[in-house]
């Protein structure tokens, strides 16, 4: 299942925002990702058409099964890579920024080995 990096970022943002228990709205996504509301509207349209999200008549965004799967995978990568980099002495801000870049490009095989190694070393 191959999707664009920006779509992965939107799905991850929806997942994180949905954990507050409140409905996720486009304005919150725009704020979190520091993008314009029209950019979010366009992305939501594409994600909805591809079956990753649903939107109700009030504009509340919900992850569908395949969207939640991708969001969960990207979020796990982000968290583990951030923690690993911080454990190596990288500042939190830089670690989170770098993890965001790495999480999209690293292979599943490499990530699983990094994750296993990092968990053993904790």
């Amino acid at each position: 299942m191959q999707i664009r990096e920006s779509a992965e970022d939107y799905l991850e943002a929806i997942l994180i925002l949905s954990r507050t228990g409140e409905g996720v709205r486009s304005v919150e996504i725009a704020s979190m990702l520091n993008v314009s509301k029209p950019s979010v509207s366009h992305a939501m349209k594409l994600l909805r058409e591809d079956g990753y999200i649903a939107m109700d008549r009030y504009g509340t965004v919900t992850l569908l099964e395949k969207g939640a799967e991708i969001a969960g995978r990207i979020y796990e990568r982000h968290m583990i890579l951030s923690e690993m980099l911080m454990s190596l002495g990288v500042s939190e801000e830089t670690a989170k920024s770098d993890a965001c870049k790495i999480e999209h490009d690293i292979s599943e095989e490499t990530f699983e080995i990094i994750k296993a190694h990092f968990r053993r070393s904790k």
Side-chain angles (χ1 to χ4, degrees), residues 3-15 29 33 39-55 61-64 66-68 70-71:
I3 69 169
R4 292 180 34 213
E5 181 177 321
S6 62
E8 290 177 340
D9 286 338
Y10 279 106
L11 293 172
E12 181 183 19
I14 295 165
L15 174 68
I29 297 167
L33 296 177
S39 294
V40 174
S41 295
H42 179 69
M44 295 303 104
K45 177 182 181 286
L46 297 176
L47 291 171
R48 193 173 57 249
E49 288 173 354
D50 291 340
Y52 294 110
I53 65 164
M55 288 182 80
V61 180
T62 306
L63 290 170
L64 297 177
K66 72 181 188 175
I70 292 168

Side-chain angles (χ1 to χ4, degrees), residues 38-105:
S39 294
V40 174
S41 295
H42 179 69
M44 295 303 104
K45 177 182 181 286
L46 297 176
L47 291 171
R48 193 173 57 249
E49 288 173 354
D50 291 340
Y52 294 110
I53 65 164
M55 288 182 80
D56 68 15
R57 63 185 179 150
Y58 303 107
T60 303
V61 180
T62 306
L63 290 170
L64 297 177
E65 186 176 340
K66 72 181 188 175
E69 180 184 319
I70 292 168
R73 186 186 81 233
I74 293 299
Y75 183 71
E76 177 189 38
R77 286 174 173 223
H78 187 92
M79 296 307 293
I80 288 176
L81 292 167
S82 294
E83 280 184 53
M84 182 194 71
L85 292 169
M86 286 186 288
S87 76
L88 294 172
V90 177
S91 71
E92 182 176 357
E93 183 179 341
T94 301
K96 288 180 177 182
S97 174
D98 287 348
C100 193
K101 296 170 193 165
I102 297 166
E103 71 195 22
H104 300 288
D105 294 324

